[in-house]
Amino acid sequence: MEQKLDYLKETPSQTAGPYVHIGLAPGAAGFDIYRQELGWDIAGPNAKGERIRVEGIVIDGTGSPVKDVLLEAWQANSQGIYAHPEHDGEVEEGFRGWGRVITDFDTGEWGFDTVKPGPVMGRNGQMMAPHINLWIVARGINIGLNTRIYFDDEAEANAADPVINGVEWERRRQTLIARRTERDGQVVYRFDIRLQGGDETVFFDI
Amino acid sequence: MNHKGEYYQRDREWHPPAFDKGYKTSVTRSPQYALISLENSPSEITGPVFGHNDIDPLDNDLISNYAQPGESPIGERIIVHGRVLDENARPVPNTLVEIWQANAGGRYRHKKDTYLAPIDPNFGGCGRTLTDENGYYYFRTVKPGAYPWRNYINSWRPAHIHVSVFGASFAQRLITQLYFEGDPLIPRCPIVNTIPDPDAIQQLVAKLDLNATIPLDTIAYKFDIVLRGRRSTLFENRLEGN
């Protein structure tokens, strides 16, 4: 007798298309509809830790900025705790850890304000360096791209990070590391994403 | 006791590849290097949690959520409903489902859409809802029209609704498109055809559901969504490192 495996198949992905803003950021599409749009405030007012801004552009295979991207960030709080029932520990009231931003229609610049995440315990007792998980969708992207933002002032932790070290090519590891600067007294991390080409950003199959 | 382990590996042969020359925009927006595979850590098995404070009860009614008082959008009144399940066929409860679409004429309410079909003053084109404890969701809307796009000069998208789902983790995050049963544009669409397997394409086609229609009022389509399933850790694999 044949024994059937009755697993379902995951619904296939499709591109978010050029008008993703209508559904996920309607204000940017040019109209107000919801009482509140989701994803504008990642950390909330009570979050402890260092306030930072993360920003950059997304660049296509021709070297041009991509101006219709939507990015989602997912991060732990400054203590390395995710706002999720499966992660032990408490986060500050109002800390969601998730955010959603779009690139500017004219310049392609994106950015979000948050707190710098703490290190998170990874697999097999290996600590992961502070990082922000990123998911990128746009016209021309058939399935969302996952990457991680690490911080260049965490060199020691980055050197021990199991995910960074899982990238065999040391030169490619640099594409995951945001550069710290200061502007008007604010800490800003620059993280440009290259979708294609020799210095292409590392993307993960998570 | 079954602890939850990793999510099943995503079947990248079932999903569209990043590069497909028939869908021209993908040519310069597809990574050339292979994706680096990650074992799930807490960064992947957690994800944002949403509640009823985040959205309003009528956010799932596109017939009324942008209409002037006493008015309705023009178009075929439809219900889109179904369940969000995982690959183990278990419901995914309390998860955020967001949709967006063009109006009955194929025109989006978006400042970048310049198609000559008119905007409908009573139609916004977006909605959102949370699945209930059984993973069930529903929307009311008008059926979107096909519209032209500059891929080939005579390319027309089939009628579709964009669908975004979160699931319980960042690893389950998914955006896709819902198509309608019987639409002759489906097999001709370069975006649909980025999906290599015809059975996978069928999974994106919502089926006419006469049992769910409201007689003399609204016709219905059923669209179930499947997110990645998860292993049970029958033998400990130290996912959390302790």
Side-chain angles (χ1 to χ4, degrees):
Chain A
M1 186 185 105
E2 187 190 8
Q3 208 161 33
K4 273 179 73 175
L5 289 171
D6 54 356
Y7 296 107
L8 303 176
K9 294 295 289 182
E10 188 184 12
T11 297
S13 175
Q14 291 272 264
T15 178
Y19 306 124
V20 59
H21 320 90
I22 292 175
L24 308 186
F31 66 110
D32 288 321
I33 184 163
Y34 294 138
R35 172 173 50 87
Q36 60 170 343
E37 290 190 16
L38 297 170
W40 291 98
D41 191 1
I42 300 177
N46 304 316
K48 300 185 183 73
E50 184 179 33
R51 295 275 161 179
I52 62 171
R53 180 169 178 80
V54 184
E55 60 185 29
I57 54 173
V58 181
I59 302 160
D60 71 14
T62 73
S64 311
V66 183
K67 298 173 180 174
D68 50 14
V69 184
L70 182 128
L71 306 95
E72 289 186 358
W74 173 242
Q75 67 164 92
N77 73 358
S78 61
Q79 303 302 303
I81 306 299
Y82 284 106
H84 189 270
E86 283 191 53
H87 211 212
D88 289 337
E90 295 286 316
V91 297
E92 301 87 343
E93 189 187 348
F95 181 90
R96 172 119 61 189
W98 171 79
R100 178 183 268 173
V101 295
I102 60 162
T103 47
D104 184 273
F105 291 151
D106 297 319
T107 65
E109 294 272 348
W110 57 269
F112 53 84
D113 297 305
T114 184
V115 296
K116 192 174 174 187
V120 174
M121 182 59 78
R123 297 178 65 92
N124 305 318
Q126 282 186 293
M127 192 63 87
M128 296 189 285
H131 64 277
I132 297 172
N133 308 287
L134 208 60
W135 187 69
I136 303 162
V137 294
R139 177 172 67 104
I141 295 177
N142 288 327
I143 181 164
L145 295 168
N146 287 96
T147 188
R148 287 186 176 196
I149 301 170
Y150 287 87
F151 305 96
D152 69 344
D153 55 336
E154 298 282 346
E156 195 177 330
N158 291 343
D161 182 86
V163 170
I164 293 178
N165 286 315
V167 180
E168 180 186 346
W169 308 274
E170 286 186 36
R171 192 187 145 147
R172 297 204 67 206
R173 296 175 188 171
Q174 297 306 313
T175 68
L176 297 172
I177 296 172
R179 310 290 161 195
R180 182 182 176 113
T181 56
E182 283 200 23
R183 189 173 59 223
D184 306 329
Q186 189 187 23
V187 176
V188 178
Y189 286 94
R190 181 78 189 183
F191 189 75
D192 290 336
I193 297 160
R194 290 175 175 79
L195 296 177
Q196 189 183 84
D199 48 3
E200 179 178 303
T201 300
V202 168
F203 297 107
F204 296 108
D205 186 10
I206 65 170
Chain B
M1 177 172 160
N2 287 352
H3 296 278
K4 288 178 174 174
E6 300 93 339
Y7 284 85
Y8 300 140
Q9 169 76 55
R10 192 165 246 161
D11 182 353
R12 298 261 173 188
E13 305 291 315
W14 184 255
H15 287 283
F19 171 80
D20 186 308
K21 66 182 185 342
Y23 175 26
K24 294 182 181 181
T25 312
S26 79
V27 172
T28 57
R29 295 186 174 191
S30 45
Q32 291 171 328
Y33 294 127
L35 301 178
I36 307 278
S37 292
L38 286 192
E39 290 177 285
N40 285 177
S41 76
S43 294
E44 288 78 38
I45 64 162
T46 61
V49 177
F50 300 96
H52 290 283
N53 291 334
D54 290 317
I55 63 175
D56 291 319
L58 283 180
D59 283 352
N60 69 342
D61 185 1
L62 286 69
I63 285 184
S64 69
N65 71 6
Y66 201 74
Q68 301 296 317
E71 302 284 325
S72 294
I74 299 285
E76 187 176 345
R77 295 160 59 87
I78 63 170
I79 288 166
V80 172
H81 76 131
R83 295 177 77 198
V84 181
L85 305 167
D86 68 16
E87 289 169 290
N88 299 316
R90 295 193 184 103
V92 182
N94 305 314
T95 199
L96 184 65
V97 181
E98 298 164 291
I99 65 169
W100 68 100
Q101 63 168 97
N103 68 21
R107 174 75 184 269
Y108 283 98
R109 183 177 287 278
H110 191 293
K111 51 184 162 194
K112 307 285 267 192
D113 189 356
T114 56
Y115 181 35
L116 49 79
I119 289 283
D120 185 329
N122 293 303
F123 190 68
C126 60
R128 55 191 186 179
T129 191
L130 290 168
T131 58
D132 72 9
E133 66 275 15
N134 299 311
Y136 181 73
Y137 76 91
Y138 63 98
F139 291 96
R140 188 171 73 150
T141 184
V142 296
K143 190 173 174 186
Y147 65 85
W149 59 301
R150 290 177 176 273
N151 192 64
Y152 304 111
I153 204 65
N154 197 20
S155 293
W156 294 79
R157 295 301 325 281
H160 63 277
I161 297 175
H162 296 268
V163 182
S164 162
V165 199
F166 279 81
S169 74
F170 216 50
Q172 286 180 311
R173 191 79 181 84
L174 182 73
I175 281 182
T176 189
Q177 299 183 31
L178 169 164
Y179 304 101
F180 293 91
E181 182 176 7
D183 187 336
L185 288 169
I186 294 172
R188 294 173 168 87
C189 175
I191 289 178
V192 172
N193 288 328
T194 59
I195 299 173
D197 188 323
D199 290 338
I201 291 173
Q202 275 309 305
Q203 201 171 345
L204 297 185
V205 180
K207 302 297 188 290
L208 176 68
D209 184 357
L210 282 176
N211 284 352
T213 64
I214 303 171
L216 308 178
D217 184 326
T218 308
I219 200 164
Y221 285 86
K222 185 164 187 286
F223 185 68
D224 289 334
I225 299 162
V226 180
L227 303 179
R228 291 168 72 182
R230 256 180 115 164
R231 282 196 330 113
S232 299
T233 54
L234 307 175
F235 298 93
E236 191 54 60
N237 67 343
R238 301 176 70 205
L239 177 65
E240 305 241 27
N242 42 20

